[in-house]
Amino acid sequence: MTASEPSAGSSGTSAGDDEVRRSPACALVIFGASGDLTARKLLPALERLSAYGALPPEVALVGVARTPMTDAEFADYCRAKVPGTDNPRWAALTAGARYVHGGYDDPDTYARLAEVLEDTDRTQGTAGSRAYYFATPPRLFGPIALSLGKAGLSEAHGDGFVRVVIEKPFGWDEDSARELYDDLSTAFVEEQIFRIDHYLAKETVQNLLALRFANSIFEPIWNRTWVDNVQITVAESIGVGDRGGFYETTGAMRDIVQNHVLQVLSLFLMEPPTSFHAEAIRDEKVKLLRAIRPLDEEAEIAAHAVRGQYTRGGTREELMPGYREEAGVDPLSSTETFVAMRLSIQNWRWAGVPVYVRTGKRLPARTTEVSMQFQRPPHLPLFPGIAAGLEPDALIVRVQPDEGLSLRFGAKVPGHAFRVQKASMDFSYESFEQESIDAYERVLLDALIGDPTLFIRADEVGRSWRIVDPVLRFWAADTRPIPLYQAATWGPTEAAALIEREGRSWRR
Ligand code: BG6
């Protein structure tokens, strides 16, 4: 499928559907085949895809990594990483797996890879098509792409396709993102590059499209006339665990806001696309990102962006270390593990509606949700004061856990008195019989099929950096100590102040 063809696959099928979407013949080449991402995410996803018949026998698995292994040892490795399955298709896929051992900057690695791929074309019917998945540290993305280009492995031949799949971070700021883009572009054109944001593959994130555009009741209220504010929360209860070293150079802004938060935000608030073609959706997302006004003046950043870092907390039963006590973290670190921001969107639909976003590690709960809070009633004719203190009406999309939707509104409490209390109409994904598909299963299959809808385009990456870069620069130059919050609390007091000074509060 090309970028301009319908991408109903992503938005319309599931493992439980009668008609299973199938990968075309190709070699799936995983760089970093002996690494953590491959073991934790890719191999389990491939096993499940093979189990429901999405990977025909003409799909070959090829691993490339620095760890020495033979083909047979790599096959054993793959099987060992997905224990307890008696799926015969997985056994067949791994039995035919090939492995190329070598350095990522060594031309010989690519020469041998070329031989292996010619061989899979002959013996496994992979038809000259290749999908390269870079499951390596991001600093290797550019060099691997350059090497593939030099070895002549980036060009498609005949009817075959060549794609490259990469996962965030896409650069460190706007400039380095452009450098990465330049490196990738020496060997690949944009249509060949599939940038993963696994949040886009979450069932409920995709449900945003169904909610907004498969119904007519929401559209009339989806604007500044009815909406008072929008809140996006990506809260994690876990700390950085054993990823301290990585997190030290990343922080919550680069790890979550630049990508997951802005992607969810743009899908939720973009204009209706003219079709569900991948490019139509991505055009609308990037238009929305362009309409977000970057915070640029220092006073504005100080007022509208808050960072924080967790300190030791929890309970006697479950003591949680502070961030600076985590392995691999500088004991004097000022890396942020929490971010809250107030964004404004400069377009006709959303002018004047603040969008509050927050994310953090070691918050009291794991929850990702988008909530749209509606204007208060303009006048309460009979019982003034009755609704005072009542939280505003809201539409809440719960991305995880308990995937679903809630509409919160005021209802009379039964009894003699006229008391109003918040009630909820709830929809839960559990009411569907079909199971949700794991995000990696979906993105892997979409990449093999060539459906770019759930992948991020280069212009979206650039725009997202432009939103967060000024804040990151401001924080880097800020000599004041980073605000702290105790583990298992909702961030520093500055985060509450950011929204409360505007007469609103974070949804709990
Ligand atoms: C990743 C971040 O992109 O998303 C992690 O690097 C974070 O720090 C993870 O924990 C959260 O993903 P999910 O799917 O568990 O919400």
Side-chain angles (χ1 to χ4, degrees):
M1 181 182 290
T2 66
S4 58
E5 285 172 336
S7 51
S10 277
S11 38
T13 60
S14 80
D17 288 350
D18 297 333
E19 198 186 319
V20 171
R21 293 189 310 144
R22 273 193 186 77
S23 164
C26 73
L28 170 61
V29 182
I30 303 180
F31 286 87
S34 57
D36 182 58
L37 178 66
T38 305
R40 270 188 315 114
K41 300 287 189 186
L42 304 186
L43 296 176
L46 286 172
E47 189 277 326
R48 285 189 299 274
L49 286 173
S50 71
Y52 56 78
L55 305 179
E58 297 76 30
V59 171
L61 178 60
V62 180
V64 183
R66 280 180 294 224
T67 311
M69 269 193 271
T70 62
D71 289 348
E73 282 165 347
F74 180 54
D76 287 344
Y77 175 86
C78 295
R79 287 190 286 260
K81 293 297 170 191
V82 193
T85 169
D86 54 5
N87 163 12
R89 292 181 182 132
W90 176 239
L93 179 68
T94 50
R98 308 292 299 270
Y99 188 79
V100 178
H101 150 231
Y104 296 118
D105 53 357
D106 181 354
D108 187 46
T109 306
Y110 298 87
R112 280 181 293 119
L113 175 61
E115 283 167 21
V116 166
L117 290 173
E118 276 165 30
D119 196 47
T120 62
D121 285 345
R122 266 197 315 275
T123 58
Q124 299 188 46
T126 47
S129 294
R130 293 95 180 74
Y132 301 115
Y133 198 118
F134 293 0
T136 60
R139 68 187 150 75
L140 297 174
F141 293 172
I144 295 175
L146 290 169
S147 300
L148 283 169
K150 278 192 202 138
L153 288 169
S154 60
E155 280 165 34
H157 298 285
D159 290 337
F161 61 80
V162 175
R163 297 186 190 120
V164 49
V165 186
I166 56 174
E167 200 166 336
K168 74 162 184 84
F170 309 121
W172 161 264
D173 54 16
E174 195 183 353
D175 289 344
S176 53
R178 193 168 310 115
E179 279 163 27
L180 171 62
Y181 176 77
D182 290 344
D183 283 350
L184 293 171
S185 305
T186 55
F188 300 97
V189 294
E190 178 62 18
E191 285 69 32
Q192 290 178 288
I193 306 171
F194 285 63
R195 297 178 192 79
I196 293 181
D197 185 309
H198 78 280
Y199 264 57
L200 289 183
K202 289 184 190 273
E203 203 76 64
T204 338
V205 172
Q206 289 174 68
N207 191 38
L208 289 175
L209 293 176
L211 174 78
R212 290 193 59 195
F213 307 123
N215 301 297
S216 61
I217 55 168
F218 297 112
E219 176 57 21
I221 55 170
W222 216 263
N223 56 51
R224 65 194 303 271
T225 311
W226 300 99
V227 177
D228 176 76
N229 72 91
V230 176
Q231 298 189 15
I232 298 180
T233 299
V234 177
E236 295 187 90
S237 49
I238 53 169
V240 293
D242 54 12
R243 295 166 76 225
F246 155 80
Y247 205 82
E248 272 291 88
T249 57
T250 311
M253 186 73 113
R254 291 188 173 90
D255 192 36
I256 303 279
V257 178
Q258 189 271 344
N259 34 75
H260 305 327
V261 167
L262 292 178
Q263 282 295 315
V264 172
L265 185 157
S266 57
L267 268 185
F268 198 69
L269 301 179
M270 70 183 184
E271 292 299 308
T274 46
S275 74
F276 268 13
H277 293 188
E279 292 317 312
I281 293 178
R282 302 198 296 180
D283 285 347
E284 294 307 333
K285 276 165 57 198
V286 82
K287 263 159 67 183
L288 193 283
L289 291 171
R290 279 198 201 112
I292 298 179
R293 194 170 60 78
L295 304 171
D296 47 16
E297 297 193 356
E298 291 198 352
E300 196 185 25
I301 299 177
H304 295 324
V306 167
R307 58 180 174 157
Q309 187 188 74
Y310 62 83
T311 58
R312 187 185 298 194
T315 58
R316 239 168 239 302
E317 290 68 44
E318 201 196 348
L319 261 189
M320 298 167 186
Y323 176 67
R324 292 176 190 170
E325 297 164 311
E326 304 272 19
V329 172
D330 177 353
L332 296 176
S333 171
S334 57
T335 300
E336 81 284 356
T337 60
F338 177 95
V339 174
M341 283 210 287
R342 179 202 196 277
L343 298 171
S344 35
I345 299 174
Q346 291 185 314
N347 67 12
W348 193 270
R349 186 185 289 267
W350 297 117
V353 177
V355 181
Y356 302 102
V357 303
R358 62 178 168 167
T359 184
K361 300 235 182 248
R362 283 281 186 232
L363 298 185
R366 174 177 187 246
T367 172
T368 297
E369 65 165 46
V370 187
S371 91
M372 192 167 252
Q373 304 208 330
F374 296 99
Q375 309 272 2
R376 300 220 176 242
H379 173 59
L380 286 166
L382 289 178
F383 303 96
I386 247 162
L390 214 58
E391 60 184 271
D393 299 344
L395 180 70
I396 297 134
V397 179
R398 289 188 306 279
V399 174
Q400 63 188 15
D402 312 325
E403 291 85 347
L405 263 183
S406 295
L407 185 64
R408 306 269 298 154
F409 55 95
K412 182 186 171 298
V413 180
H416 294 294
F418 194 98
R419 277 203 304 122
V420 179
Q421 193 175 300
K422 231 49 203 180
S424 200
M425 283 199 293
D426 294 311
F427 156 73
S428 164
Y429 255 77
E430 282 178 3
S431 56
F432 282 112
E433 274 172 20
Q434 287 94 337
E435 273 179 36
S436 294
I437 300 185
D438 168 78
Y440 275 88
E441 270 173 68
R442 183 174 293 275
V443 286
L444 261 173
L445 187 56
D446 280 357
L448 294 176
I449 289 175
D451 181 345
T453 314
L454 301 179
F455 297 84
I456 307 179
R457 220 167 49 186
D459 50 356
E460 297 179 67
V461 175
R463 267 340 276 199
S464 303
W465 280 119
R466 201 163 293 180
I467 295 163
V468 303
D469 273 355
V471 181
L472 287 168
R473 278 197 297 269
F474 176 79
W475 286 343
D478 192 351
T479 50
R480 289 170 300 174
I482 183 168
L484 302 172
Y485 62 99
Q486 228 184 31
T489 65
W490 283 104
T493 51
E494 287 83 346
L498 173 145
I499 188 166
E500 283 166 11
R501 82 169 77 93
E502 303 191 332
R504 303 185 176 96
S505 54
W506 292 106
R507 219 187 77 75
R508 285 288 157 90

